[in-house]
Amino acid sequence: MEPTAQTVSMPRIGDKAPAFKAVTTQGEIDFPAQYAGGWVILFSHPADFTPVCTSEFMTFATCEKEFEKLNCKLVGLSVDGLYSHIAWLRTIKEKIEYRGMKDVEVKFPLIEDITMSVAKAYGMIQPGESSTKAVRAVFVIDPKGLIRAIIYYPLSLGRNFDELYRIVVALQTADAFSVATPADWRPGDDVIVPTAGSCGVAKERMDGRQEGVTCHDWFFCTRKIGKDEVLDRILKK
């Protein structure tokens, strides 16, 4: 089928993050190559000097150290130019006080994307919402440069930062312990163990003979991993 004007191309979970070089408020970046070996949240916002975006950038900047402890960097993007970015971030630091946050300095890079080339490569321009602004997209990218999670929000909806943090923690926990995480999981909650590979192992689990494993049925078994054990494994020392 031939692409139409409304077709939006976007990478998928498990894909390599599309590579690009760009100018940012922190200098030029080579993405995702220069972030290899660490996690990254690449996120877009519709426009500088807008209220929802301002609330988000203040929150991102305030939370940055918590993400850094997870070996996770933040990288922002909008289709505005570099000088607009710089002026907006200066205004945030010098003039905006919100929810107890003030004198907030945004130190992570904010990409200039006036050609929309990066936004289009990541499917951040969605014509049904806006053909001239990026939606609020979030891409969580792992140390191998693979996309592990994608979230899209409309222009009117600010993001939940507790959830973004939880996603990174949960993905790192799943990798570190070879488990999955159930609904609403937080560090210290039970995790889901992989389905038994043989009937014998499944029977041991169901009979309660596999230490530390609780089975709700043959396909749904959990085990406890303490909060301290999780955080000791994933937090950057």
Side-chain angles (χ1 to χ4, degrees):
M1 184 176 69
E2 289 296 321
T4 69
Q6 295 298 310
T7 299
V8 177
S9 175
M10 60 183 70
R12 296 166 293 188
I13 291 174
D15 286 353
K16 279 279 189 182
F20 62 87
K21 294 181 180 179
V23 173
T24 83
T25 52
Q26 300 293 323
E28 294 187 2
I29 63 169
D30 182 1
F31 192 92
Q34 76 182 66
Y35 294 93
W39 292 73
V40 188
I41 291 180
L42 172 66
F43 67 97
S44 58
H45 70 280
D48 299 343
F49 292 101
T50 55
V52 177
C53 300
T54 297
S55 72
E56 291 191 315
F57 263 70
M58 294 181 76
T59 307
F60 261 128
T62 302
C63 296
E64 184 178 15
K65 288 184 179 179
E66 295 306 309
F67 284 103
E68 286 181 347
K69 291 176 184 176
L70 297 172
N71 192 27
C72 182
K73 301 292 187 181
L74 305 176
V75 180
L77 174 148
S78 82
V79 299
D80 299 287
L82 182 63
Y83 293 111
S84 173
H85 287 343
I86 292 170
W88 178 46
L89 299 185
R90 182 182 298 125
T91 298
I92 288 175
K93 185 177 190 312
E94 295 177 355
K95 296 183 179 181
I96 306 297
E97 182 175 351
Y98 176 68
R99 287 186 175 175
M101 297 179 287
K102 64 179 181 178
D103 302 318
V104 174
E105 183 176 2
V106 176
K107 297 180 180 179
F108 56 81
L110 175 52
I111 295 167
E112 172 188 75
D113 191 29
I114 54 177
T115 64
M116 300 188 186
S117 59
V118 178
K120 288 177 179 177
Y122 278 83
M124 295 168 173
I125 304 296
Q126 303 200 3
E129 183 73 0
S130 174
S131 59
T132 59
K133 297 177 180 178
V135 295
R136 301 182 196 282
V138 179
F139 289 83
V140 180
I141 299 164
D142 74 10
K144 296 179 180 178
L146 298 177
I147 295 170
R148 299 293 297 277
I150 303 171
I151 311 174
Y152 287 94
Y153 298 78
L155 304 185
S156 62
L157 179 61
R159 285 164 270 223
N160 182 305
F161 287 80
D162 288 340
E163 173 62 3
L164 299 184
Y165 182 83
R166 189 189 77 92
I167 287 170
V168 178
V169 171
L171 288 171
Q172 293 188 5
T173 300
D175 289 355
F177 294 93
S178 299
V179 296
T181 52
D184 295 329
W185 178 87
R186 300 278 179 178
D189 295 343
D190 288 357
V191 297
I192 295 172
V193 298
T195 303
S198 69
C199 292
V201 173
K203 190 173 189 311
E204 284 184 5
R205 287 183 177 178
M206 291 298 294
D207 291 344
R209 286 182 285 138
Q210 197 167 67
E211 187 177 354
V213 175
T214 299
C215 286
H216 310 278
D217 207 326
W218 64 268
F219 62 90
F220 185 8
C221 297
T222 60
R223 72 181 179 93
K224 187 76 173 176
I225 301 179
K227 180 178 180 178
D228 290 343
E229 185 179 357
V230 168
L231 297 182
D232 283 347
R233 182 76 68 90
I234 67 174
L235 288 182
K236 186 177 179 181
K237 300 297 188 289

